[in-house]
Every structure is written in structure tokens, then in C-alpha cells.
Amino acid sequence: SNGNINVAIDGPAGAGKSTVARKVAEALEYVYIDTGAMYRAVSWYMIRNDILPEHVEEVEHHVKNLVIDLVPDAGGQKVYCNGEDVTTVIRSLEVTNVVSLYASIESVRTHLVQNQRQMALRKGVVMDGRDIGTTVLPDAEVKIFMTASVQERALRRFKELGDSFDITLEQLEKDIANRDKLDEEREISPLRCSEDAIVLDTTHMSIPEVVETIAAYCRAARDGENRS
Ligand code: CDP
Ligand code: CDP
């Protein structure tokens, strides 16, 4: 081995996964992989081509030929769908509100999980999502399950959206609870805490506190790897 480890970070929407995973990757000089962005890119593509999530066979037919690339970029990552830059458009509420429907389709998951495993082969990745510790990288050396109360998660999203969006805190809380439910109850690799994951409730934690806590686990695991 090259002494590198893989880090899996799972949890519900707004728990702080992507913010924290990106900073942990920076601290370790690892590659950050946002798997939610991949499900968002698939959903964006299907919406644009008028392919409804209930048309499972049509979704399958299209997803097989979709090429989704994540390219590290100053302080973040750019997302490409068949060569087209979709970094911004995949964050729209239109995509957010249907992404869990497309993410529950078997062919979508098979295709994306295969890509995700490929990206982690050489190790040295911090990957965040819903099923990373359980399904995508069950052998990851560090697994974190990050949570926060639904009220706190809705509030975080509310602050993030700012005044430009016409949505209330109550509506956001409902949308998040609804997405949690779909993600937890779907048949294929639902959002679930892996038995060997470290559970981190971030409701009352600042971003630097969460980053430092996870980075410390990672450094310990990496040192262990280098000694063995
Ligand atoms: O950033 P946010 O928590 O809103 O969501 P995301 O991480 O961008 O993921 C969007 C959606 O993609 C989730 O609600 C899941 O339905 C799906 N997803 C998934 O099923 N499996 C993953 N590994 C990552 C995301
Ligand atoms: O990726 P995920 O949906 O889990 O969450 P995120 O997009 O990383 O974080 C949602 C929002 O919560 C961002 O605006 C973060 O800055 C904020 N956040 C926070 O206020 N405190 C934390 N401990 C973690 C995240």
C-alpha cells in the first residue's frame, strides 16, 4: 500500500458532510469526492430530457451512457455531465426536490457506485454521501456518520440560501425531512449508519471543531497504516 487511507463520510442532508469533507481532504492533501453531486447531475440530465423517475427503463437506458466527471477546482470541485459544466445548475431546488427519486433507481446506483469505487482504487480519497461506508467503500479505514437535528439542518440550509430564494424555514424543514425519509426507506443501499462508523452529532459543533475531530481520526488511522 502507499500508506494512504480512504475516508467515508455519510449522513443526512445539511449535516455538514460536504463542507467538512472538503476541508478534511485539504488538511490531509487527499482528493474530495462529492457523490451527491453525481446523483444531482444524473437528475439534472433526466429533467432536461423529460425522463421521469417512474420510467425506470428509460432512465436505465440513458444513465448507462452518461459520463460524469468531478474535477478538483480551487476550493471545490467542478461537475461535468457529458462534458457540460453543471456545477451550478445541479444545486437548484428543482433538482434538489427530485434527486432522491432518481437516486432510488437500481441502474442509477449501480452505474454511479461503479464509478465511485474506481475513483477510490488508489486510496487517498475523502468521499461523502449516504452509502459510502456501507456499500461503496465498505473497507474504508475511517467511517464517519455525521448527523444533526432536522431543525438545525434546515436552519443551516436556510442561512446558506439567503434572501434570493422564496422558501420559508418551515418549508425547508419539511423538504429535508421528506428527503431523509426517502433516503432511509429506499430498498437499495438506504441511508444507514455502518456498524463500524464513528457517529458524530454536529448539532452543537462548529465547522472547525468537526473538521479537527475527523482529521484526528484520519491521521491516527494513517499512522497505523504506515506502521504496519
Ligand atoms: O447536499 P445535500 O445533503 O442536500 O445532498 P447531496 O449530498 O447533494 O445528495 C443529494 C441526494 O442524492 C440525496 O438526498 C440522496 O437522495 C442522493 N444520494 C444518494 O442516494 N447516495 C449518495 N451516496 C449520495 C447522495
Ligand atoms: O453536505 P451536507 O448536506 O451534509 O451539508 P453541507 O452542505 O456541508 O452543510 C450545510 C450548511 O451547514 C453549510 O452552509 C455549512 O456551512 C453549515 N454548517 C454549519 O453551520 N455547521 C456545521 N458544523 C457544519 C455545516
Side-chain angles (χ1 to χ4, degrees), residues 44-70:
W44 170 84
Y45 176 91
M46 298 298 163
I47 294 170
R48 197 181 60 168
N49 290 284
D50 292 321
I51 303 165
L52 297 173
E54 47 269 40
H55 296 160
V56 176
E57 277 167 28
E58 218 183 326
V59 170
E60 175 169 9
H61 174 75
H62 280 84
V63 80
K64 279 196 273 193
N65 301 312
L66 264 190
V67 179
I68 295 168
D69 290 306
L70 303 180

Side-chain angles (χ1 to χ4, degrees), residues 12-19 128 156-157 160 202 205-207 210:
K17 299 181 300 298
S18 45
T19 309
D128 85 326
R156 287 175 185 176
R157 274 296 149 80
E160 191 178 65
T202 71
M205 287 174 85
S206 71
I207 294 169
V210 182

Side-chain angles (χ1 to χ4, degrees), residues 17-207:
K17 299 181 300 298
S18 45
T19 309
V20 165
R22 176 172 297 132
K23 289 176 190 282
V24 169
E26 240 173 60
L28 301 171
E29 295 185 68
Y30 276 11
V31 177
Y32 166 54
I33 298 171
D34 174 358
T35 65
M38 301 172 78
Y39 289 92
R40 286 174 180 274
V42 167
S43 305
W44 170 84
Y45 176 91
M46 298 298 163
I47 294 170
R48 197 181 60 168
N49 290 284
D50 292 321
I51 303 165
L52 297 173
E54 47 269 40
H55 296 160
V56 176
E57 277 167 28
E58 218 183 326
V59 170
E60 175 169 9
H61 174 75
H62 280 84
V63 80
K64 279 196 273 193
N65 301 312
L66 264 190
V67 179
I68 295 168
D69 290 306
L70 303 180
V71 181
D73 180 55
Q77 110 194 313
K78 285 212 173 289
V79 187
Y80 295 88
C81 186
N82 285 348
E84 191 173 337
D85 184 348
V86 296
T87 312
T88 310
V89 288
I90 60 169
R91 303 291 158 193
S92 70
L93 284 177
E94 190 190 8
V95 171
T96 302
N97 288 334
V98 297
V99 59
S100 293
L101 301 177
Y102 291 102
S104 69
I105 299 172
E106 183 168 20
S107 61
V108 171
R109 302 206 72 84
T110 307
H111 184 68
L112 295 187
V113 168
Q114 196 181 355
N115 286 357
Q116 291 154 9
R117 287 186 180 143
Q118 205 76 35
M119 294 189 246
L121 279 180
R122 275 172 298 170
K123 299 225 174 169
V125 309
V126 180
M127 194 179 282
D128 85 326
R130 301 293 186 287
D131 60 338
I132 311 305
T134 53
T135 304
V136 181
L137 305 176
D139 297 327
E141 284 80 1
V142 173
K143 298 183 186 180
I144 307 286
F145 193 81
M146 208 185 275
T147 63
S149 70
V150 67
Q151 291 82 4
E152 171 65 19
R153 291 187 283 121
L155 191 62
R156 287 175 185 176
R157 274 296 149 80
F158 190 67
K159 288 180 185 159
E160 191 178 65
L161 288 173
D163 299 332
S164 51
F165 283 84
D166 191 17
I167 189 162
T168 63
L169 180 57
E170 289 68 33
Q171 187 57 46
L172 262 180
E173 210 175 296
K174 272 190 206 149
D175 290 350
I176 285 185
N178 183 43
R179 198 140 60 90
D180 285 355
K181 193 170 148 60
L182 286 172
D183 289 343
E184 283 161 9
E185 291 179 357
R186 69 164 172 249
E187 244 163 82
I188 314 152
S189 47
L191 170 65
R192 197 165 290 164
C193 180
S194 176
E195 268 180 33
D196 50 356
I198 298 158
V199 179
L200 210 57
D201 184 342
T202 71
T203 307
H204 304 290
M205 287 174 85
S206 71
I207 294 169

